[in-house]
Every structure is written in C-alpha cells, then in structure tokens.
Amino acid sequence: MDYIPCETVPHFSECSEIVSALGFTLVELQIVPQKESVHVTVVIASKDLKHDIGVSDCSKVHHALEARIVEFIHRSEDELYMEVSSPGLERNIKNAAEFAFFTGREVRVWDKNITDWVRGIIKSSDAQSVTLQLEDGSEKTVAYIDIAKAKFIHL
C-alpha cells in the first residue's frame, strides 16, 4: 500500500482547512478535468467517530467548497460536477495516509507476510506503518509495504 502525503494532493490543504472549519475531516480529494467539465470527488468524515455523516453534512461541505474549487480550476460552476460523500461503512482504504484520519476505528488489513487479515483498532500511524490494537489487547505494527489492502470493519 502506498503512502501519499495529503499535502502533495493538489488543493488538499486549502480544502482541508475549509472542511475542518465545518467540523469535518477531509479524507479524499480528486479533481479530474474532463473534456467539457471538471469532476470533483470529495470524501469527508466526522471528527467524532461516533457521529455518522449525513446528507445535510455533505450538502454543507459542497456549498462551502464549490466556490473555492471554481477558483482553483478557473472554470464556471456550470462546468463543475462535484460529489461529496462519507467514507462509507466498509471503505477500502486507498492511501495509507488515511489511517491517521481514522485513529480509534476498527479495520482489517491484509498482511502479505502472513497472507491473512489482521483485525484491530487503529492505535497510531505514521509515514511507514500502522499500529493496531488487537482483540487480545496486544499491539501489532504493520508496515505499509506489507499491506495488500485494508478496509473498515462494519458491525
């Protein structure tokens, strides 16, 4: 699994500040120019893991980001197609940098060294690895290069 620092994603830092001011965390931002439009995908999460993201939350973020993104892309609002969503119940973690956003959340990672899933609560993460607290109370640190895939656990 690759670790791509969020600040290297174009406009992530600026958009993250706006989303954070609304009480959410920006998890993913993709701005993809197409022939006659620009497709923007935004994934937000609540700063409180016990709070789910609803339609009104997505709408609030959409309205706050739309004008700013129009400035970035130098196009009109009519040329912007923007989707704002939650991470979902069983999100596949695409970028290892996402682990930091979900500290305290239960995940499972496919560890290539043992060719099996490791299940635990994200205790900490950095640019090289994630540390999980396992069900038996022990901790396991897995390097990102050893993770084939990872996803949330939905109960």
Side-chain angles (χ1 to χ4, degrees), residues 35-46:
K35 286 184 182 180
E36 297 177 13
S37 65
V38 175
H39 186 97
V40 178
T41 303
V42 178
V43 177
I44 60 170
S46 175

Side-chain angles (χ1 to χ4, degrees), residues 22-35:
L22 295 171
F24 305 104
T25 300
L26 181 61
V27 175
E28 180 181 345
L29 175 68
Q30 293 181 6
I31 301 175
V32 181
Q34 296 177 340
K35 286 184 182 180

Side-chain angles (χ1 to χ4, degrees), residues 99-155:
F99 285 110
F101 300 134
F102 300 111
T103 300
R105 184 126 187 216
E106 191 170 14
V107 296
R108 61 184 182 146
V109 299
W110 183 266
D111 186 338
K112 293 187 273 187
N113 289 326
I114 61 172
T115 62
D116 200 3
W117 291 102
V118 176
R119 177 181 177 152
I121 296 172
I122 301 170
K123 182 147 182 167
S124 64
S125 63
D126 58 26
Q128 287 80 35
S129 63
V130 61
T131 300
L132 304 175
Q133 181 174 352
L134 307 178
E135 290 178 345
D136 65 4
S138 65
E139 292 181 5
K140 177 168 179 70
T141 299
V142 183
Y144 298 137
I145 61 171
D146 295 329
I147 297 176
K149 55 187 164 181
K151 69 186 315 177
F152 291 154
I153 295 177
H154 173 62
L155 300 174

